[in-house]
Amino acid sequence: MAGIVVIAEALNGTLNEVSLELLSKGRELATSLGQPLIAVLAGEGLDALAPPLQSADRVVLLDDPALGKFTPDAHEQAIAAVIAPMEPRLVMIGNTTAGMDLAAGLAARLHWPLAAYCTGVRMEASDLIGVAQLYGGKLFAEVELGSQSVIISVIPGSFPAVAPGGTGVIERAAVPAGKSRTRFKELIALEAADVDIKKAQALVSVGRGIGGPENLDIVQDLARAIGAEVAASRPVVDSGWLPKARQVGKSGLTVKPKLYFAVGISGAPEHLQGMKDAEFIVAVNTDAAAPIFEVAHLGIVADALEFVPALTERVRAGA
Amino acid sequence: MNLLVPLKLVPDLVEELTLNEAGTDLDRDALIYKLNEFDDQALEEALVLKETTGATVTAIALDAPEIDQVLFTALAKGADRAVKVTGDFEPGIDNHTAAQVLAGAVRGQQVDLVLCGVQAPDDLDGQLGVLLAGALGWPHVSVVSGIEPDSAAGVVRCHQEYAGGSMALLETELPAVLGVQAARQPPRYAAVSTIRKVMKEKQLEEVAATPGEVVASKLQVRRLFKPESRAHARMLEGDVTRQVEDLVAALNERGVLKVGV
Ligand SMILES: Cc1cc2nc3c(=O)[nH]c(=O)nc-3n(C[C@H](O)[C@H](O)[C@H](O)COP(=O)(O)OP(=O)(O)OC[C@H]3O[C@@H](n4cnc5c(N)ncnc54)[C@H](O)[C@@H]3O)c2cc1C
Ligand SMILES: Nc1ncnc2c1ncn2[C@@H]1O[C@H](COP(=O)(O)O)[C@@H](O)[C@H]1O
């Protein structure tokens, strides 16, 4: 059993940054194990997407019209067929929305164990140890990954990205003729919105802790007072309180404003993924143990319904 | 069209999570549990599909303390049947084991489509829905919304969400397992009085877990620990007035706010 495999991701023709993050960690592990690092990429028309992955020793392309669009069934069949005979020590997959299907789907098909939501992985003597983020980011688990082939799914942003490029060998693997029971029909773009929160210098972002749509006013007032736009966590959007175009996170937008003011947001990994690189993060939450305080610069344990109006008033009075 | 919705209780994350003495698991006696929020979304989507297409909705859960309440609540919300899989399940049972037990129960039912919550806060060994699909040999799609079964064509169409807010329309052959991200409307509530009434009038169906070869996750948790981040926020102390003053000062200092001090 040998080799570290990185499953690279290129949905819609662009390489996902997480692929380069996995390659940097993969190189570290491969070096300490004295084993090869192998990148596997499935898709269609992959010529231009392979070179950035060449920091791996081998770049194995599964290039086929049947893989042009992501469907879990087709991609799992093709990837399983190519990695099973490799018997790798470790397979790393980004915990993206597609990665959630792939990681558990491959684990089920290959009967290899899976540690999901990893933020770290290391060698300790000859043992592989994973660190996984659980319970909405409130706890981490240190996990012995065993000595068989094992899969981990890694939360994007956990490792620095490796510089694209290198001298690895690019190979094309045969794609087994299988029938996908899932078919891609069409891509549906995010509906156009009146605001682009990615361009905003400051965001006041509201979570479920605000209680209900009747309390949105206080957040909008604060945003107006400090010249910010209003953003939101996913449940606020799912509840219909604010439009999807204002959603920050894994299944929403990634933002890097100068100021990100999180109001009643717990800081689940899927939310942090969209805002943790903001320049300055302020969080208000009634729960002192909320994971948002792990990434915030300034933290305030308070009832948002009390704190936010008080802040707005102070800003207005002082301006 | 028979829809099956697996339900699971998970620790309420708003509460303090304390560890057992060995530090390898939660102190399960001290926990407050609630229905996994994504399971609630899956149930809601199933109930909407019942209303719009006449589908039959069966809620299913592995036996656990307080699980009867969860299943009766599902009945009160409109599920047609509620099935409790009985067996000797450890608290904090891993998803590999749960998926294989559920797969055994699914084989004994008429099921066209399983709607699982896309994830749970304790999915260390992978999401239940995908593992269940693997155990059944069925196709699966995760991070799904907008589910439209078409029983005549033997398929289900759904949206799979991507980063950035775009999504794919996918079509999957039935039977299948979907990991539901969000229902098309917020999950409904059942009044306590309705739940009480249902508890008097209806019964949970019980099926025993089929003994079979269960392959657990093979992961060994060494320890659980709270975030040990170097970069924890500087916390502003004092009452709200004091916190507001300190925040304004800090924002002014960083130049992200211009407020007279
Ligand atoms: C595949 C996938 C993709 C996802 N994508 C996203 C995404 O793009 N964006 C996203 O945000 N989530 C996403 N999620 C959901 C994510 O897992 C969390 O469920 C979500 O981020 C929680 O939102 P929240 O913090 O608003 O709510 P909660 O986690 O419920 O937190 C509410 C917080 O408010 C606090 N609070 C309560 N009352 C008050 C008060 N009066 N004053 C102050 N604070 C208070 C509570 O202490 C708590 O910390 C995704 C999940 C999955 C599975
Ligand atoms: N006052 C509140 N109103 C609404 N939601 C809240 C409130 N306080 C906390 N929440 C969050 O809302 C989530 C949903 O709670 P529940 O209604 O119990 O499912 C919880 O996880 C809390 O974090």
Side-chain angles (χ1 to χ4, degrees), chain A residues 208-212 241 266 286 305, chain B residues 12-14 34 37 40 189:
Chain A
R208 185 151 50 182
I210 197 78
W241 305 347
S266 63
T286 41
L305 303 184
Chain B
D12 187 344
L13 299 183
V14 179
K34 58 180 276 192
E37 64 170 294
D40 205 14
Y189 284 93

Side-chain angles (χ1 to χ4, degrees), chain A residues 36-222:
Chain A
L37 175 63
I38 304 156
V40 173
L41 179 64
E44 182 187 11
L46 299 179
D47 288 336
L49 295 173
L53 302 173
Q54 277 180 291
S55 69
D57 302 301
R58 294 167 58 197
V59 181
V60 179
L61 301 180
L62 291 157
D63 198 339
D64 193 280
L67 303 174
K69 300 290 187 210
F70 177 74
T71 66
D73 205 19
H75 279 239
E76 281 164 25
Q77 284 177 40
I79 294 170
V82 74
I83 66 174
M86 291 178 184
E87 295 186 15
R89 179 76 184 81
L90 174 71
V91 179
M92 300 166 85
I93 301 177
N95 189 55
T96 59
T97 57
M100 291 177 77
D101 270 324
L102 279 183
L106 290 169
R109 275 170 202 258
L110 295 164
H111 301 288
W112 292 349
L114 164 65
Y117 313 103
C118 284
T119 57
V121 57
R122 62 174 191 271
M123 296 299 302
E124 267 183 27
S126 58
D127 295 331
L128 256 184
I129 308 294
V131 174
Q133 193 167 26
L134 296 178
Y135 301 108
K138 279 201 158 179
L139 289 175
F140 287 79
E142 198 172 87
V143 191
E144 293 172 15
L145 300 175
S147 53
Q148 70 299 303
S149 294
V150 61
I151 302 175
I152 63 172
S153 70
V154 177
I155 295 180
S158 298
F159 310 130
V162 74
T167 55
V169 179
I170 298 175
E171 306 164 23
R172 288 173 176 272
V175 175
K179 181 177 166 292
S180 178
R181 293 163 294 177
T182 302
R183 292 170 286 275
F184 177 93
K185 290 292 182 188
E186 65 176 297
L187 187 71
I188 301 164
L190 177 67
E191 51 189 77
D194 54 337
V195 60
D196 184 357
I197 59 166
K198 287 169 84 81
K199 295 216 177 92
Q201 301 272 348
L203 290 172
V204 177
S205 194
V206 52
R208 185 151 50 182
I210 197 78
E214 67 280 7
N215 295 324
L216 279 176
D217 277 359
I218 61 165
V219 182
Q220 274 149 352
D221 287 347
L222 174 62

